[in-house]
Amino acid sequence: MKIATCSHRPVLVPCNLKNFEYQIDPYIGCQHYCYYCYVLNQAETDWTREIQIYDDVSGQLSKELARILPQTIYLGYYTDPYQPLESEYCQTRQVLELLLESGFSASILTKSDLVVRDIDILQQMQDAKVSVSVAFQEDLDRQRFEDNTPKTDARVAALKQLKLAGVRTGALICPVFPMISDAKALFAMLADLTETIWVYGLSIDDPSDRNWQNIREILSTHYPALQKEIEAAVFAKSHPFWVRLREELVGLGRSYPIDLHIHL
Ligand code: SF4
């Protein structure tokens, strides 16, 4: 894996998400390399060979932050801020240290339990939030679709640790693979640990996209008996699988004091 540095692009960039004006992705590329990742379709480099980090992330970001008012910055929109490289390069920790020092806060999305390392910083921020994303109840399924990520159990344990430490938490059940992901079981694992759960399906813009080609290959190798039915459901929101799942999740959501957002 080549680690390249870049200094030509801004660290702080405008964010399209509701409630956030700016986002930061401390890494360009993602070592987790989930085969279904929609960002793979736009990736400038092959993430299995090269990830880019900022030449001087703190120096560059401190100048960029000086131009805006303190606010909450979103981390993890395009790439995971706690991918394995973070243990060594600490780009995310440097960003958080600077945000705290400058009066900003952070809302983080990750698939990694490494985030608990930074609880000390998050506790000091005004209203920091960490959301953890999970897609598979069964570890064999996780390995087939996102082998480089931490296990689901480790992510759920991280969420618990964050909550106990007083950091606000959220969770994404994403992406739900029809007939493979057990979204109801994942909901049950998460519901007591978080104030908000979002549920999303796969993000496939075009069947020729790289992520869909990856998924098809995995389905034909490991789930040949289900492939046809899964493919039919992925491209039809009216498929009985989604209709039933939406109803079941709405029912489950009523049993918990939770803010549930179903985007299926
Ligand atoms: S962790 Fe997120 S950004 Fe990284 S490869 Fe997986 S889906 Fe893509």
Side-chain angles (χ1 to χ4, degrees):
M1 166 73 73
K2 179 181 166 195
I3 310 302
T5 53
C6 85
S7 51
H8 64 281
R9 57 167 95 202
V11 180
L12 186 70
V13 296
C15 181
N16 290 328
L17 292 173
K18 197 177 147 197
N19 302 332
F20 299 96
E21 267 188 76
Y22 293 96
Q23 67 186 54
I24 295 172
D25 285 290
Y27 296 87
I28 300 138
C30 187
Q31 230 184 343
H32 282 152
Y33 205 86
C34 309
Y35 294 115
Y36 54 76
C37 177
Y38 70 92
V39 187
L40 281 178
N41 302 328
Q42 314 146 19
E44 296 160 33
T45 54
D46 178 350
W47 295 352
T48 59
R49 294 172 187 273
E50 180 183 312
I51 304 284
Q52 293 178 20
I53 61 174
Y54 289 92
D55 197 19
D56 172 17
V57 73
S58 293
Q60 196 179 326
L61 182 59
S62 66
K63 288 182 202 142
E64 293 170 5
L65 289 177
R67 297 183 205 124
I68 63 170
L69 293 171
Q71 59 194 278
T72 301
I73 307 291
Y74 193 85
L75 274 79
Y77 186 84
Y78 283 121
T79 63
D80 200 312
Y82 290 97
Q83 56 188 282
L85 283 175
E86 172 61 15
S87 308
E88 187 182 343
Y89 288 90
C90 297
Q91 296 267 298
T92 299
R93 186 161 175 96
Q94 289 178 60
V95 166
L96 292 179
E97 283 169 344
L98 190 59
L99 290 178
L100 175 64
E101 204 181 295
S102 315
F104 287 74
S105 187
S107 184
I108 298 172
L109 174 62
T110 182
K111 280 186 163 76
S112 175
D113 54 334
L114 180 57
V115 62
V116 301
R117 180 202 63 189
D118 294 339
I119 281 178
D120 60 328
I121 302 178
L122 296 165
Q123 281 174 317
Q124 296 176 68
M125 285 177 164
Q126 181 76 33
D127 225 20
K129 183 169 182 175
V130 176
S131 298
V132 167
S133 171
V134 295
F136 302 103
Q137 164 86 353
E138 295 297 331
D139 200 53
L140 187 58
D141 295 324
R142 179 196 64 78
Q143 286 173 45
R144 288 170 174 164
F145 288 100
E146 44 170 79
D147 193 27
N148 293 330
T149 59
K151 292 182 176 184
T152 299
D153 286 353
R155 297 180 224 176
V156 174
L159 212 52
K160 188 172 187 178
Q161 206 175 327
L162 287 155
K163 184 177 161 74
L164 286 173
V167 177
R168 288 176 61 217
T169 55
L172 268 75
I173 301 175
C174 175
V176 175
F177 275 81
M179 291 144 242
I180 298 176
S181 304
D182 189 342
K184 287 173 289 169
L186 292 169
F187 180 94
M189 286 169 84
L190 298 163
D192 287 330
L193 304 177
T194 173
E195 59 194 57
T196 319
I197 295 182
W198 294 267
V199 190
Y200 290 94
L202 274 165
S203 184
I204 310 288
D205 291 332
D206 189 294
S208 66
D209 283 347
R210 189 190 309 183
N211 63 342
W212 179 241
Q213 296 308 315
N214 291 342
I215 293 165
R216 289 200 72 190
E217 201 176 315
I218 296 167
L219 293 178
S220 67
T221 307
H222 298 290
Y223 309 88
L226 292 174
Q227 182 169 10
K228 213 169 154 196
E229 196 60 16
I230 291 172
E231 290 194 15
V234 165
F235 292 102
K237 289 210 167 192
S238 57
H239 191 283
F241 172 84
W242 299 120
V243 174
R244 195 166 51 245
L245 182 59
R246 279 194 289 266
E247 282 171 13
E248 289 169 343
L249 287 172
V250 167
L252 270 177
R254 286 199 198 101
S255 319
Y256 292 86
I258 200 159
D259 193 12
L260 176 62
H261 301 263
I262 302 171
H263 301 271
L264 295 173

